[in-house]
Amino acid sequence: MSYGGIEAGGSKWVCAVGDSTNELIAVETFPTTTPTETIGRAVQFFAGHRRLIDGLGVGSFGPVDVHESSPSWGQITTTPKPGWAHTDVVAALQAALELPVAFDTDVNAAALAEAQWGAGSGLETFCYVTVGTGIGVGVVANGRLLHGLLHPEVGHMRIPHDRARDPFGGVCPFHGDCWEGLASGEALRQRWGRPAHDLSTNEAWELEAGYLALGLVNLICTISPQRIIVGGGVAKHPGLLRLVGVRVRDLLDGYLNAPEVSTAAGIEQYIVAPALGDHAGVLGAIKLAQLRAPVKQTLPTPEAVADRAG
Amino acid sequence: MSYGGIEAGGSKWVCAVGDSTNELIAVETFPTTTPTETIGRAVQFFAGHRRLIDGLGVGSFGPVDVHESSPSWGQITTTPKPGWAHTDVVAALQAALELPVAFDTDVNAAALAEAQWGAGSGLETFCYVTVGTGIGVGVVANGRLLHGLLHPEVGHMRIPHDRARDPFGGVCPFHGDCWEGLASGEALRQRWGRPAHDLSTNEAWELEAGYLALGLVNLICTISPQRIIVGGGVAKHPGLLRLVGVRVRDLLDGYLNAPEVSTAAGIEQYIVAPALGDHAGVLGAIKLAQLRAPVKQTLPTPEAVADRAG
């Protein structure tokens, strides 16, 4: 039994076919352009594997509507990304491919994959954070993906902003200097005039580590995760996660009585990179399809039907 | 079947006896002084009802250790409250009363009661916030009380602090100007030189509403609750919750596509007072006992034992 998965990110889409393991049978990545073009490329990819797959899972950038009983289920809703607000991703895919589609946030999908095969394995409650163009967080709480009213939108938390040290106003079109507004890849690009992968000054990365730590401390205080997995392009900067861990311990200042967050050795196992690397999102999307999309039934043979009737 | 419950708060303890309803059979409230004296008064109260009760539940101020497999389970751990750090509440009660004891945070207990009989009824994911001497939050996530690594300690989130408008440094002995440090009853008392119930200037309550709204926005962005119940003495100030709701909508600025948090009518049903009033905590403690404390078995008669052997 195989499934299709899409990690529908704000800057790129990853489409893949997989089964119940963490191996991918086929994979294709392309940039996120307009909804029509981007969804069209996904449809083209899956059409080429149509006979293999029994369902499709989508982990999407958001905010999205993940409540199946809602009229706008399957849509990207109020995103500031130009052209994408109120795009009905699920309807477009279902119409073109005639497959059942499961739908969640990109980060919840990644959290699901890490729960199944990665750094969240065996944990009841943990967070998957991605720091890329934006900041998103997927949450497993009490053993299940967390949705609640909508779904976590942790990038839009408010954190302290020391304007004397950092007069940059933030990049969030809704909130200016929310967490994502101050600490996302786009914030780095606009603050320093170059993308994160070209940034090497200590000043930039010290500031970034401080902001990331403030957000993680707020996650620790609210969700009380057993571990925090931090992925995304910005988080790959060498030494960044270690520095974030130091800052998190400084900020908590011994208040929480757990070696995971109060000791140097503990925090290195507590704030970690994704075990599945860049494939967490698309593997999670495939897992979503497996868990949630209704599965085609094998038709009973006429003999079996007769047997039951007899 | 009856149970005992203790809402073990930082400023007072409420002890009560109840059954599986939300009626209390007996109740007594006294101030939190030293551990010996306070636990002693609780023991005295329950000793007087000892034959009625089959188990005891405690909802305690924290941080506490709520993991039953941990060596420090049942203790108040790193609390800044003088004399109370590392107090083994459960061991003291068990030794004196010879009853099974269930143990959680005071706010998780209150959340449990509101889930059972109050404003959290029928919800999968919601928060119970108390704004009293400190700030605490109990969380029901995916239908169960949230513990995770330890338990939520939402009062210690970091929020923006505009020192130009509010130069007061905060009262948290660990973090200074964390959420509790800026917005708790103790913060109000120290900032304005009088307790919350004696404060009537608009300036004080406008500032308080702003801080409470920042914390609730962070809760909304992280946990995505379907409702937020706000109790505690400070929250009773007339008009405060309504003002907080206005500020929450301002801060979210339409980003979350849900009438609960984006419309005036929605937010009034979304940020609400506890339906159980001041009894949420102790009712939840009784419910904890009913759910978790092992129940005394009725001893089989010799005849029944013989029957089984035959």
Side-chain angles (χ1 to χ4, degrees):
Chain A
M1 198 81 84
S2 299
Y3 301 92
I6 304 176
E7 182 191 351
S11 42
K12 68 176 194 292
W13 279 33
V14 184
C15 297
V17 176
D19 51 25
S20 57
T21 71
N22 62 346
E23 305 287 330
L24 298 178
I25 295 165
V27 59
E28 189 175 311
T29 300
F30 44 86
T32 311
T33 57
T34 64
T36 308
E37 186 181 25
T38 314
I39 296 171
R41 285 194 69 169
V43 166
Q44 198 176 8
F45 171 79
F46 289 110
H49 302 86
R50 180 65 188 77
R51 288 175 59 194
L52 262 180
I53 58 183
D54 290 297
L56 194 63
V58 181
S60 175
F61 71 97
V64 292
D65 186 338
V66 297
H67 291 293
E68 293 192 14
S69 60
S70 156
S72 55
W73 172 69
Q75 292 185 16
I76 295 172
T77 57
T78 48
T79 178
K81 191 174 172 63
W84 281 85
H86 307 289
T87 298
D88 197 333
V89 175
V90 168
L93 291 167
Q94 269 179 340
L97 293 164
E98 297 185 329
L99 277 169
V101 180
F103 189 64
D104 211 317
T105 63
D106 47 1
V107 277
N108 263 357
L112 182 63
E114 290 286 335
Q116 181 74 17
W117 300 292
S121 176
L123 303 181
E124 280 268 292
T125 298
F126 71 92
C127 297
Y128 177 96
V129 180
T130 181
V131 189
T133 311
I135 295 183
V137 179
V139 180
V140 170
N142 287 327
R144 283 165 48 205
L145 292 175
L146 184 62
H147 297 122
L149 180 67
L150 294 168
H151 53 73
E153 271 291 337
V154 184
H156 298 272
M157 276 193 306
R158 298 311 210 283
I159 60 167
H161 177 194
D162 182 349
R163 285 178 182 267
R165 181 182 174 196
D166 174 33
F168 180 67
V171 299
C172 175
F174 283 85
H175 314 119
D177 62 352
C178 61
W179 193 28
E180 172 171 300
L182 290 173
S184 62
E186 184 57 21
L188 288 175
R189 198 184 64 75
Q190 290 195 29
R191 183 188 287 110
W192 303 104
R194 55 178 66 194
H197 63 264
D198 274 350
L199 264 180
S200 56
T201 61
N202 277 350
E203 186 192 3
W205 290 106
E206 288 278 347
L207 189 69
E208 178 67 7
Y211 285 138
L212 291 181
L214 281 163
L216 297 195
V217 161
N218 285 2
L219 269 183
I220 292 166
C221 289
T222 50
I223 290 168
S224 189
Q226 293 163 288
R227 177 170 284 170
I228 300 178
I229 304 166
V230 188
V234 173
K236 289 180 184 169
H237 183 76
L240 180 63
L241 289 193
R242 182 180 288 245
L243 188 55
V244 169
V246 171
R247 294 282 173 281
V248 164
R249 286 177 59 214
D250 288 349
L251 285 164
L252 290 174
D253 198 21
Y255 180 67
L256 297 179
N257 191 31
E260 290 86 343
V261 294
S262 62
T263 67
I267 204 101
E268 288 199 15
Q269 299 302 312
Y270 183 76
I271 297 173
V272 298
L276 303 172
D278 290 338
H279 282 167
V282 77
L283 281 167
I286 291 167
K287 186 76 193 168
L288 279 176
Q290 192 192 337
L291 288 178
R292 298 203 193 155
V295 169
K296 278 193 294 187
Q297 299 297 313
T298 308
L299 290 175
T301 60
E303 287 78 7
V305 173
D307 257 3
R308 269 183 246 159
Chain B
M1 198 81 83
S2 297
Y3 301 91
I6 304 176
E7 182 190 352
S11 41
K12 67 177 195 291
W13 279 34
V14 185
C15 296
V17 176
D19 50 26
S20 57
T21 72
N22 62 346
E23 304 286 330
L24 296 179
I25 295 165
V27 59
E28 190 176 311
T29 301
F30 44 86
T32 311
T33 57
T34 63
T36 309
E37 185 179 27
T38 313
I39 295 172
R41 286 195 67 170
V43 166
Q44 198 176 7
F45 171 80
F46 290 111
H49 301 85
R50 181 63 188 79
R51 289 176 57 195
L52 262 181
I53 57 182
D54 291 297
L56 195 62
V58 181
S60 174
F61 72 97
V64 292
D65 187 339
V66 297
H67 291 292
E68 293 193 16
S69 59
S70 156
S72 55
W73 172 69
Q75 292 186 17
I76 295 172
T77 57
T78 47
T79 179
K81 191 173 171 66
W84 281 85
H86 307 289
T87 298
D88 197 333
V89 176
V90 168
L93 291 166
Q94 268 180 340
L97 292 164
E98 297 184 329
L99 276 169
V101 180
F103 188 64
D104 211 318
T105 63
D106 47 1
V107 277
N108 262 357
L112 182 64
E114 290 286 336
Q116 180 75 16
W117 300 291
S121 175
L123 303 181
E124 280 269 291
T125 298
F126 71 92
C127 297
Y128 177 96
V129 180
T130 181
V131 189
T133 311
I135 295 183
V137 178
V139 180
V140 171
N142 287 328
R144 283 165 50 205
L145 292 174
L146 184 62
H147 296 122
L149 180 67
L150 295 166
H151 53 73
E153 270 292 337
V154 185
H156 298 272
M157 273 194 306
R158 299 310 212 283
I159 60 167
H161 176 194
D162 181 350
R163 285 179 182 266
R165 180 182 175 196
D166 174 34
F168 179 68
V171 298
C172 176
F174 283 85
H175 313 120
D177 62 352
C178 61
W179 192 29
E180 171 171 303
L182 290 173
S184 63
E186 183 58 20
L188 288 174
R189 198 184 64 73
Q190 289 195 30
R191 181 188 288 112
W192 303 105
R194 55 179 64 195
H197 62 263
D198 274 349
L199 264 180
S200 57
T201 60
N202 278 350
E203 187 192 3
W205 290 106
E206 288 278 347
L207 189 69
E208 179 67 5
Y211 284 139
L212 291 181
L214 281 164
L216 297 195
V217 161
N218 285 3
L219 270 183
I220 293 167
C221 289
T222 50
I223 289 167
S224 188
Q226 293 163 288
R227 178 170 282 169
I228 300 178
I229 304 167
V230 188
V234 173
K236 289 180 184 169
H237 183 76
L240 179 63
L241 288 193
R242 182 180 288 246
L243 189 54
V244 169
V246 172
R247 293 282 173 278
V248 165
R249 285 178 60 215
D250 288 348
L251 285 165
L252 289 175
D253 197 22
Y255 180 68
L256 297 179
N257 191 32
E260 290 87 343
V261 294
S262 62
T263 68
I267 203 102
E268 287 199 15
Q269 300 301 312
Y270 183 78
I271 297 172
V272 299
L276 303 171
D278 290 339
H279 281 168
V282 78
L283 281 167
I286 291 167
K287 186 75 194 169
L288 278 177
Q290 191 192 339
L291 289 177
R292 298 204 194 153
V295 169
K296 278 193 297 188
Q297 299 298 312
T298 309
L299 289 175
T301 60
E303 289 75 10
V305 172
D307 258 3
R308 268 185 244 157

